[in-house]
Amino acid sequence: MDQPQPERRAPGDRRARARRLIAALVVLLLAVATASLAIGATGTSLSSALLGWLRGAAPSPAEALILWDIRAPRTVMGMLVGAALAVSGAVLQGLFRNPLADPGLIGISAGAALGAISAIVLGGLLPPALFAVAGAWLVPLAAFAGGLGATVLLYRLSTRGGQTSIAVMLLAGIALAALAAALSGILIFMANDAQLRDLTFWQLGSLSGATWAKVFAAAPLILAGLLAAPMLARALNALALGEAAAAHLGIRVQRMKSMAVVSVAAAVGAAVAVSGGIGFIGIVVPHLLRLAMGPDHRFLLPAAALFGASLLLGADMIARVIVAPAELPIGIVTAILGGPFFLWLLLRNRTLLEGS
Amino acid sequence: MIEARDLRVTLARREILRGADIIARAGEVTCIVGPNGSGKTTLLRALTGEIKAEGEIRLDGQPLDRLSPTDLATRRAVLPQAARIAFPFTVLEVVRLGLLASPEPDEALPAAALAAVGLAGFEGRFYHALSGGEQQRCQLARVLVQGWEPVVAGRPRWLFLDEPVAALDIGHQLAVMRIAEDYAARGGGVVAVMHDLNLTAMFARSVALVEAGRITAQGSASEVLTTERLSRAYGCHLPVGAVPEGGDRPFLLPHGARPPRAV
């Protein structure tokens, strides 16, 4: 077996190891977040400014601007988006009882994108009063609605009599993603020049446009999704046995499934609304963590939030530095790292697909 | 006591149960037998509340559909037929899932349950790497953890077992049936779907014979497991004898059985 062997002292009980790993992931996230504040196109003098600032020395106005108005919101946004994608991946995988479920792969992100594009292009058609009220929330909320629609549709399509067919799920996800992309294409065709500029920036899939306003628009939905996840942990553990067995253990399966779908749609919708399409975080992070600490969702979900946030910040730093002073869209970085990983996962789990 | 009256279940437009009546008493092992497709598993799923059935089911006097999932989980545990688990859980982690149903989980139970099913020392093995029989016993340990005490606050608890010995060798078949027998002897209730009629005769105080969605006979093994009934139900000649010096306990050796008649 290529899973690590459980510890010798308490055979089969990986809870202590999971707790240690979570503590290590907290440290990792703090380190990566500090680095994310310190590293960027304007050179390394900021690291000393940041260190001085942490010690209490006042930074210069230019340093303060770069730290507080550019890098800080970008760092917070990266953490929120990374945590949202990784936790959503873990919840979806638990819900579908399959390690191949990922918001990007099965069309949820495409549904959220359709929602966001609709809001950007058609938002002007809303009554001006309503548009003013919705304001910065309009795009995240529309993305949430799009993601929710796609998730519910996908679940309905791929589940018959409580059994989810993985083949149907993956194929239906491809079809839904294509459909959502086509509808998005029609909307882009209809867009005017100003809207096209907004769309292009957004579609690049980047954290570069992060502002505090965007952070505050996305944070409530993402946090709602993240905070709901731990409440699902016990139920997701029971669900690994199958829906009937989970119900026999006293889990209210239907209620739990609805809650999982809504929280995933909220977190993914808001993440897609502010960062465009960033793939593979949702599949890579939970899988690596399951190898390291086992599939217990009470530990897996918080660890996924921490590790997803760290990984996305890391990818963002690569995107910022590798072609400096220009920067790559972060979606390219995660795809280049995640694509081969996903292939490896598929080959390793052949039986999972062929057995269903 | 479980009392079910006139149970009717239709799945995919096919009437699986058509007015089944069954009674199971705490302190006894009740076995449900019958040919493939007669509705045994559907009957068990109806009795556990997993699927909705028309008719009436009472669990120790209370209508089953009035009990919440949480409440039910503290009063009965269910062993499924065959079970794949979605992620690489260890044996101990699977058995610990049985603690989910308990408001005050007792951390000592998983080890005791694993010892009871003969899987002590398997804690750190991965469930998906076990043999079919070992997986079945691991699931039984999880079910035992959920319903560990046969009687709680004067009220019996119930084990529902769907073909609990299907994948087991003869030694483990006897061991598992003894666990069921012991659970009933200590005041709990056990309802098991069985294919092995000799094990049924050996361990069941009450046998219910299912044919085409109805219970056509329920009573002691010697009342129900007769040549006439079994030959009719299974569609082949099944001469039933008696265990030598085993009282009137029926015994079935299909040496004289003719092949099933053409349908």
Side-chain angles (χ1 to χ4, degrees):
Chain A
M1 292 314 306
D2 39 10
Q3 273 95 0
Q5 283 305 305
E7 283 163 38
R8 207 167 288 153
R9 202 173 284 170
D13 190 344
R14 292 178 280 187
R15 287 176 291 173
R17 191 205 333 225
R19 287 194 190 97
R20 283 200 299 277
L21 190 64
I22 287 175
L25 288 173
V26 170
V27 175
L28 175 70
L29 181 57
L30 289 174
V32 177
T34 309
S36 171
L37 287 173
I39 292 171
T42 47
T44 51
S45 66
L46 271 175
S47 354
S48 54
L50 177 66
L51 288 175
W53 183 54
L54 288 175
R55 274 191 240 106
S60 74
E63 288 166 347
L65 178 77
I66 290 174
L67 277 179
W68 182 247
D69 287 329
I70 296 176
R71 291 195 189 158
R74 182 171 189 151
T75 301
V76 172
M77 184 83 94
M79 290 197 282
L80 285 173
V81 169
L85 294 176
V87 170
S88 300
V91 169
L92 277 178
Q93 286 146 26
L95 184 67
F96 283 102
R97 306 183 62 218
N98 191 283
L100 300 181
D102 171 79
L105 282 175
I106 57 179
I108 296 174
S109 298
L114 175 61
I117 292 173
S118 308
I120 293 171
V121 176
L122 304 176
L125 301 179
L126 285 176
L130 189 59
F131 187 69
V133 173
W137 309 87
L138 188 64
V139 174
L141 280 175
F144 165 58
L148 184 65
T151 317
V152 170
L153 201 57
L154 189 73
Y155 197 87
R156 288 273 163 85
L157 286 171
S158 56
T159 305
R160 284 273 183 283
Q163 290 293 310
T164 301
S165 158
I166 301 315
V168 175
M169 177 192 83
L170 290 172
L171 295 174
I174 291 169
L176 285 181
L179 189 61
L183 294 175
S184 300
I186 293 175
L187 288 168
I188 291 170
F189 189 71
M190 289 162 56
N192 62 34
D193 284 354
Q195 290 165 342
L196 271 181
R197 203 171 52 239
D198 282 352
L199 282 172
T200 312
F201 272 115
W202 175 79
Q203 272 185 320
L204 282 173
S206 165
L207 296 173
S208 62
T211 59
W212 283 118
K214 281 193 182 176
V215 169
F216 289 129
L221 279 174
I222 289 180
L223 289 176
L226 290 180
L227 293 176
M231 290 189 266
L232 297 167
R234 274 163 40 99
L236 287 172
N237 284 346
L239 201 62
L241 297 167
E243 288 196 15
H248 292 146
L249 281 165
I251 305 295
R252 293 170 197 269
V253 175
Q254 211 49 51
R255 193 172 75 175
M256 166 266 175
K257 287 198 295 192
S258 314
M259 197 170 151
V261 165
V262 172
S263 66
V264 164
V268 172
V272 168
V274 292
S275 66
I278 298 177
F280 293 108
I281 297 283
I283 204 158
V284 171
V285 168
H287 192 76
L288 285 176
L289 290 172
R290 264 187 227 107
L291 287 180
M293 59 193 260
D296 188 334
H297 291 86
R298 289 171 302 174
F299 304 108
L300 182 65
L301 296 176
L306 294 165
F307 192 37
S310 301
L311 206 61
L312 198 73
L313 282 184
D316 186 47
M317 280 191 280
I318 294 175
R320 270 148 57 180
V321 169
I322 200 161
V323 290
E327 59 177 70
L328 277 177
I330 190 173
I332 293 177
V333 178
T334 59
I336 282 178
L337 297 176
F341 179 87
F342 182 66
L343 284 177
W344 170 75
L345 178 62
L346 263 182
L347 294 177
R348 204 175 145 273
N349 278 318
R350 266 198 167 170
T351 48
L352 264 184
L353 280 173
E354 284 159 8
S356 60
Chain B
M1 187 158 82
I2 294 173
E3 301 156 276
R5 251 182 265 283
D6 198 24
L7 294 185
R8 289 168 190 279
V9 173
T10 303
L11 296 175
R13 292 194 198 150
R14 211 168 74 82
E15 199 175 20
I16 312 282
L17 291 185
R18 344 174 161 198
D21 300 303
I22 187 171
I23 285 179
R25 291 185 175 80
E28 294 181 1
V29 175
T30 303
C31 286
I32 300 171
V33 299
N36 294 142
S38 58
K40 301 184 297 294
T41 293
T42 304
L43 174 59
L44 196 79
R45 288 169 73 198
L47 294 177
T48 63
E50 183 185 327
I51 51 173
K52 287 257 171 284
E54 283 177 58
E56 190 188 24
I57 304 175
R58 288 177 172 273
L59 177 64
D60 297 312
Q62 287 171 281
L64 191 71
D65 48 15
R66 300 265 181 80
L67 295 167
S68 73
T70 331
D71 216 6
L72 265 177
T74 62
R75 294 173 62 167
R76 59 105 179 87
V78 185
L79 179 72
Q81 232 176 60
R84 190 180 76 82
I85 295 184
F87 299 105
F89 283 93
T90 63
V91 167
L92 182 66
E93 286 165 348
V94 171
V95 176
R96 284 181 50 85
L97 289 175
L99 293 171
L100 275 178
S102 167
E104 295 155 8
D106 178 350
E107 294 284 334
L109 291 188
L114 279 170
V117 301
L119 287 180
F122 280 61
E123 288 85 349
R125 301 266 294 269
F126 281 102
Y127 176 85
H128 60 79
L130 299 179
S131 76
E134 287 164 349
Q135 289 187 347
Q136 199 167 19
R137 286 186 283 141
C138 176
Q139 292 275 1
L140 178 62
R142 171 180 71 77
V143 167
L144 287 176
V145 163
Q146 187 183 347
W148 188 254
E149 289 299 330
V151 179
V152 169
R155 199 159 55 191
R157 292 216 279 188
W158 293 84
L159 299 182
F160 291 92
L161 313 174
D162 196 354
E163 297 190 24
V165 298
L168 304 184
D169 62 64
I170 190 160
H172 285 115
Q173 289 185 345
L174 290 169
V176 164
M177 292 313 291
R178 289 219 173 86
I179 290 174
E181 190 179 42
D182 175 61
Y183 195 83
R186 290 186 293 136
V190 179
V191 180
V193 168
M194 295 288 289
H195 271 303
D196 189 317
L197 298 171
N198 285 319
L199 281 177
T200 301
M202 204 169 154
F203 288 97
R205 185 82 70 81
S206 175
V207 179
L209 178 63
V210 187
E211 287 177 81
R214 290 193 185 86
I215 308 286
T216 52
Q218 186 176 8
S220 72
S222 57
E223 286 163 2
V224 175
L225 303 179
T226 62
T227 303
E228 188 212 340
R229 285 192 210 279
L230 293 183
S231 300
R232 190 192 61 216
Y234 289 92
C236 55
H237 180 59
L238 292 171
V240 177
V243 179
E245 296 159 34
D248 59 352
R249 179 190 297 164
F251 176 73
L252 189 79
L253 185 64
H255 68 288
R258 286 195 293 275
R261 60 169 180 248
V263 180

